[in-house]
């Protein structure tokens, strides 16, 4: 029987779809370590990997029969794609299930920042810290404000849908302009990135992590933003220079930030941890029960589709 190595335990039944045709190697809890991956992958034709687990050439090269990596998650910057492409290994990802929940989180961070929900929740628990009254605890509203979306793909557009409902104005930047029908759907205007940074009240990062997007936002870009603006990152940590963001937040260059992702997860820049104008959550963009189940299903379907010779599996590499 063909073997599949699965890097991490999800729910007990998450990978049952594969059991009829494959022998599954899954950790009892948590994740396999890198050494365990190297040891266990030897006879496997498929690796099913979580977006949080680094899959380097040391792991891929330990499996002479490896045909496919089915990544659980849409971002695949965890995989050594150069090695996979050079060795004819098919790589797939799971775009659809993660789109709406990640946009939900980005929108939630925007809300929490401008209405100071997290900050005020923290303070109300401390005796006499909160002052009550008409002119206390004032935030700002989203209505009629401008949201700048950098990376106007699936998640960026799902965020735009929510922003339209909140009566926001939308501008976006990506390397290519989207079709006019899509722009019209969200009344979204395409602008150069620096213009977007200057004019937006909220900036959301929704690009993949690539060589080009690494440190796309740093000191220079933050200086272009309005002092009253908020930055939200649900893409990948290294799209921002984290320490430069922390310094900008400390110096009130911008009003606040909401972060789901970090440059060196799970380590967070210590300066960020001391600041009140940043909301920090531990990479929970897709952490809902429904999403985990749907993502596992799509990761399984990609594998079954690959073996059935289907063309519509979600390939993200060269093959
Ligand atoms: P997508 O549909 O491929 O959209 C990505 C967008 O980024 C596209 O509009 C693309 O347009 C743009 N882009 C790519 N390179 C760019 C560059 N150098 N400068 C500006 N724009 C650029 O991907 P998605 O499904 O929306 O997911 C986006 C990313 O979100 C994923 O790659 C993943 O890393 C992250 N994510 C995070 C979580 C979480 O838990 N926080 C969950 C899901 C996904 P052009 O090609 O025209 O530039």
């Amino acid at each position: 029987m063909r073997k599949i190595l699965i890097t991490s335990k999800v729910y007990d039944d998450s990978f049952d779809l594969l059991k009829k045709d494959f022998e599954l190697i899954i950790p009892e809890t948590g994740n396999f370590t890198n050494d365990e991956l190297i040891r266990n992958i030897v006879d496997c034709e498929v690796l099913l990997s979580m977006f949080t687990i680094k899959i380097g050439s040391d792991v891929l090269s330990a499996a002479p029969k490896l045909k496919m990596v089915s990544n659980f998650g849409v971002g695949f910057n965890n995989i050594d794609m150069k090695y996979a492409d050079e060795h004819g290994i098919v790589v797939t990802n799971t775009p659809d299930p993660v789109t709406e929940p990640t946009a939900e989180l980005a929108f939630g961070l925007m809300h929490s920042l401008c209405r100071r929900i997290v900050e005020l929740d923290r303070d109300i628990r401390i005796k006499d810290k909160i002052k009550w009254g008409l002119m206390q605890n004032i935030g700002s509203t989203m209505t009629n404000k401008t949201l700048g979306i950098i990376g106007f793909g699936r998640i960026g557009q799902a965020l735009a849908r929510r922003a339209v409902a909140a009566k926001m104005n939308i501008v976006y930047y990506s390397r290519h302009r989207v079709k006019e029908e899509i722009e019209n759907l969200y009344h979204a205007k395409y602008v150069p990135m620096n213009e977007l940074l200057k004019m937006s009240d909220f900036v959301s990062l929704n690009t993949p992590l690539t060589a080009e997007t690494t440190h796309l936002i740093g000191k220079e870009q933050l200086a272009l933003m309005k002092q009253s603006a908020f930055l939200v990152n649900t893409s990948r940590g290294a799209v921002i220079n984290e320490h430069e963001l922390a310094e900008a937040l400390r110096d009130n260059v911008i009003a606040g930030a909401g972060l789901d992702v970090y440059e060196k997860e799970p380590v967070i820049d210590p300066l960020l941890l001391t600041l009140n104008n940043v909301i920090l959550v531990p990479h929970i963009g897709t952490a809902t029960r429904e999403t985990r189940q749907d993502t596992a299903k799509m990761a399984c379907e990609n594998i079954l589709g690959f073996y059935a010779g289907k063309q519509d599996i979600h390939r993200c590499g060269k093959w």
Side-chain angles (χ1 to χ4, degrees):
M1 214 177 199
R2 291 179 168 127
K3 288 186 184 174
I4 300 182
L5 177 64
I6 302 180
T7 61
S8 314
K9 174 83 190 254
V10 186
Y11 293 105
D12 284 344
D13 60 354
S14 292
F15 304 112
D16 281 2
L17 269 178
L18 299 169
K19 279 188 173 161
K20 189 160 83 62
D21 301 310
F22 300 91
E23 180 185 331
L24 307 184
I25 306 171
I26 315 181
E28 278 179 24
T29 55
N31 308 307
F32 280 130
T33 63
N34 201 62
D35 284 347
E36 287 167 339
L37 290 177
I38 291 171
R39 252 197 329 274
N40 284 317
I41 203 169
V42 176
D43 288 334
C44 294
E45 285 193 13
V46 179
L47 172 66
L48 196 159
S49 53
M50 302 300 137
F51 62 95
T52 48
I53 306 286
K54 184 173 179 285
I55 304 296
S57 59
D58 53 345
V59 174
L60 299 175
S61 64
K65 295 190 210 161
L66 193 69
K67 290 187 167 44
M68 177 187 197
V69 179
S70 171
N71 207 41
F72 180 111
V74 67
F76 49 89
N77 54 291
N78 56 313
I79 299 170
D80 185 336
M81 293 300 291
K82 186 168 178 286
Y83 185 96
D85 286 349
E86 281 171 5
H87 291 80
I89 300 168
V90 170
V91 181
T92 56
N93 66 350
T94 57
D96 303 339
V98 304
T99 300
E100 301 298 332
T102 309
E104 275 174 9
L105 181 71
F107 202 54
L109 289 170
M110 286 167 55
H111 265 297
S112 305
L113 284 164
C114 68
R115 301 306 300 273
R116 303 172 56 189
I117 296 172
V118 174
E119 175 199 341
L120 294 173
D121 171 81
R122 203 160 41 222
D123 288 352
I124 206 168
R125 295 159 195 269
I126 301 168
K127 193 167 181 307
D128 298 333
K129 176 109 196 244
I130 286 277
K131 292 194 179 73
W132 298 68
L134 187 70
M135 295 312 293
Q136 302 297 332
N137 309 313
I138 303 286
S140 53
T141 192
M142 279 179 166
T143 312
N144 297 326
K145 294 284 167 56
T146 297
L147 167 63
I149 301 176
I150 300 181
F152 203 52
R154 286 171 293 248
I155 298 169
Q157 289 173 36
L159 178 61
R161 260 198 306 287
R162 287 157 173 81
V164 167
K167 300 190 176 160
M168 299 186 80
N169 308 310
I170 295 160
V171 294
Y172 77 94
Y173 170 73
S174 45
R175 290 166 306 174
H176 312 94
R177 211 171 152 162
V178 298
K179 288 190 189 130
E180 212 180 319
E181 303 95 88
I182 297 178
E183 288 185 353
N184 291 342
L185 217 52
Y186 310 112
H187 311 290
K189 192 169 167 233
Y190 184 68
V191 293
M193 192 174 96
N194 285 354
E195 289 308 307
L196 180 150
L197 293 169
K198 284 183 202 164
M199 69 199 295
S200 298
D201 300 296
F202 295 81
V203 173
S204 174
L205 302 178
N206 297 105
T207 65
L209 177 64
T210 62
E212 217 182 325
T213 61
T214 300
H215 289 185
L216 190 65
I217 302 294
K219 189 177 175 181
E220 209 180 301
Q221 292 71 28
L222 292 162
L224 295 175
M225 290 175 64
K226 295 182 186 177
Q227 207 182 354
S228 56
F230 299 105
L231 176 67
V232 167
N233 189 13
T234 58
S235 63
R236 286 289 181 261
V239 175
I240 300 181
N241 181 325
E242 193 170 303
H243 190 65
E244 289 184 5
L245 171 64
E247 290 177 331
L249 288 166
R250 178 198 60 198
D251 300 342
N252 297 314
V253 174
I254 62 170
L259 305 178
D260 183 38
V261 286
Y262 307 88
E263 270 199 86
K264 298 182 182 127
E265 286 173 25
V267 176
I268 299 180
D269 188 289
L271 178 57
L272 277 181
L273 297 170
T274 67
L275 302 173
N276 246 337
N277 55 354
V278 61
I279 299 176
L280 307 168
V281 290
H283 203 151
I284 55 165
T286 57
T288 73
R289 186 184 305 278
E290 299 85 347
T291 312
R292 292 284 183 257
Q293 282 164 337
D294 293 348
T295 306
K297 184 163 176 267
M298 185 175 272
C300 291
E301 286 169 351
N302 281 336
I303 296 170
L304 297 173
F306 169 73
Y307 278 97
K310 288 191 182 162
Q311 287 309 306
D312 61 349
I313 59 175
H314 298 91
R315 292 170 198 267
C316 50
K318 183 174 162 194
W319 303 100

